[in-house]
Amino acid sequence: VQSAMDGFNVTVFTYGQTGAGKTYTLYGSREEPGIAPRTMRSIFDKLEEFSGSLEAMVSCSMIELYQDTLFDMLAEDKPLTPRRMTTARGPVMKISKDARGAVCVDGAIEKRVESFQELERTMWNGIEKRRSAESKMNATSSRSHLIFTAMIETYNKFTRVHSFGKVCLVDLAGSERTKRSLAEGEQMEEAKSINRSLSALGDVISALTEKEKHVPYRNHKLTQLLSDALGGTAKCLMFVNVSPVGSSAFESSSSLQYATRAKQIRNRVAKKEEGDDMAKLRQENAQLRAALAAAGLSLEPR
């Protein structure tokens, strides 16, 4: 959390087979909070601690990647069915980079929050919309990847430096062998999509550990979303969950091998910060672009 306040990107992953406890590790429950709620509380505790020297703004977003489609979990929508499969949420969204080079999703809501309670409430409201289903290996199996991000912008009153950091919490859907989960129909398609995305993530990890010139981030939307977390300038932590069940030994071994490869990645950690003059120029640039857009004009070449 301190690193995010200082202007670094911080990413926490949970990885492992379905039913191994990834979502519980990251989110826990309202009564027994996991990593995410504790992190959210720590953000506001730290900001209060340094309130004498820092001005801060905190905002958040939550994106679900389900069968290669992005959904904004903070968007207002109709209630979901118990199966959580039928409601479309918002327009088609695309992955891009913002003015500072950070990965973002065009059109996704970034909600400003003023307290831990508001941030936590926003997080739980989004999680309740996540797609899940019962399988032979898990009573409430997550059928999608979930990326919850808290953006922290700070201004140091003494050094006059603006810093832009974020904490990205990534709950990956569980890998599964359909022979064991007995998935069929819609669940079979979900399992195939999940395994394809995790395979693409594995290809990125292999390319980074082998220090290849080309890293295939663009092969899948999951790896595009995580391109500034893996191999970028982020501080990254991965939790690997394994099952104690003997029949899951093969999956546990595969998960640990996956983690061993990921551990070999060495990011070039860098801050995102700028002085008053640069911040003022960026604001004026944004205002100019907004004025031109309102007039039906553009600075982009035709």
Side-chain angles (χ1 to χ4, degrees):
V1 171
Q2 182 63 60
S3 293
M5 290 172 55
D6 291 339
F8 292 98
N9 288 350
V10 179
T11 304
V12 179
F13 291 86
T14 53
Y15 176 83
Q17 75 175 95
T18 183
K22 299 180 299 302
T23 300
Y24 191 79
T25 297
L26 195 58
Y27 291 105
S29 64
R30 296 177 190 271
E31 296 75 25
E32 298 181 343
I35 294 169
R38 293 170 187 265
T39 300
M40 300 304 105
R41 181 179 291 278
S42 182
I43 287 174
F44 282 95
D45 286 347
K46 287 286 185 183
L47 292 177
E48 177 64 25
E49 180 182 350
F50 293 100
S51 59
S53 60
L54 292 179
E55 295 177 358
M57 182 178 73
V58 180
S59 56
C60 65
S61 67
M62 182 177 281
I63 300 296
E64 179 187 48
L65 177 58
Y66 171 72
Q67 289 203 35
D68 301 335
T69 302
L70 300 172
F71 295 96
D72 186 352
M73 306 301 276
L74 302 188
E76 295 294 333
D77 58 20
K78 299 176 182 178
L80 296 177
T81 64
R83 183 70 172 82
R84 303 179 187 273
M85 296 298 168
T86 60
T87 301
R89 290 193 282 277
V92 175
M93 297 186 293
K94 296 182 179 180
I95 302 167
S96 62
K97 292 191 175 182
D98 63 18
R100 299 186 182 91
V103 173
C104 63
V105 177
D106 293 340
I109 293 173
E110 292 186 359
K111 181 178 180 181
R112 184 171 177 176
V113 291
E114 303 292 342
S115 66
F116 160 68
Q117 289 76 14
E118 186 179 4
L119 181 56
E120 183 186 42
R121 184 168 58 251
T122 301
M123 180 191 74
W124 285 120
N125 287 343
I127 290 173
E128 288 174 357
K129 302 174 187 177
R130 187 180 187 185
R131 291 167 169 82
S132 63
E134 182 177 355
S135 71
K136 293 295 183 180
M137 298 181 66
N138 191 359
T140 55
S141 176
S142 299
R143 313 308 292 170
S144 63
H145 305 297
L146 190 67
I147 298 97
F148 181 57
T149 306
M151 287 74 72
I152 308 171
E153 181 177 346
T154 60
Y155 174 69
N156 191 304
K157 302 174 186 177
F158 301 113
T159 63
R160 296 184 177 181
V161 170
H162 297 257
S163 297
F164 310 91
K166 67 179 180 179
V167 179
C168 188
L169 302 165
V170 184
D171 184 19
L172 296 172
S175 59
E176 64 180 80
R177 286 191 292 169
T178 53
K179 287 184 179 180
R180 289 198 62 201
S181 65
L182 302 181
E184 57 184 21
E186 185 70 21
Q187 284 194 25
M188 173 69 81
E189 294 305 312
E190 293 166 354
K192 289 179 179 179
S193 177
I194 290 168
N195 289 337
R196 280 196 302 269
S197 62
L198 294 176
S199 177
L201 183 58
D203 292 340
V204 166
I205 290 175
S206 294
L208 290 170
T209 55
E210 296 296 329
K211 297 182 179 180
E212 296 179 5
K213 292 183 179 180
H214 173 68
V215 180
Y217 290 117
R218 300 186 65 84
N219 284 2
H220 198 278
K221 288 182 179 179
L222 176 63
T223 49
Q224 289 183 55
L225 282 170
L226 303 180
S227 60
D228 63 350
L230 278 173
T233 59
K235 293 186 176 183
C236 184
L237 175 65
M238 178 181 283
F239 285 88
V240 176
N241 292 62
V242 296
S243 171
V245 180
S247 58
S248 297
F250 175 82
E251 288 84 353
S252 296
S253 176
S254 297
S255 295
L256 292 173
Q257 290 175 18
Y258 200 100
T260 300
R261 286 190 294 163
K263 190 176 181 180
Q264 297 174 27
I265 298 173
R266 295 292 181 267
N267 287 0
R268 295 182 178 180
V269 179
K271 290 184 180 182
K272 289 186 179 179
E273 58 183 18
E274 60 190 21
D276 272 349
D277 292 341
M278 181 60 72
K280 185 178 179 180
L281 286 172
R282 192 182 297 279
Q283 184 179 20
E284 290 176 351
N285 184 296
Q287 291 172 346
L288 174 61
R289 287 179 177 274
L292 288 172
L297 302 173
S298 174
L299 290 176
E300 302 300 329
R302 293 184 178 180

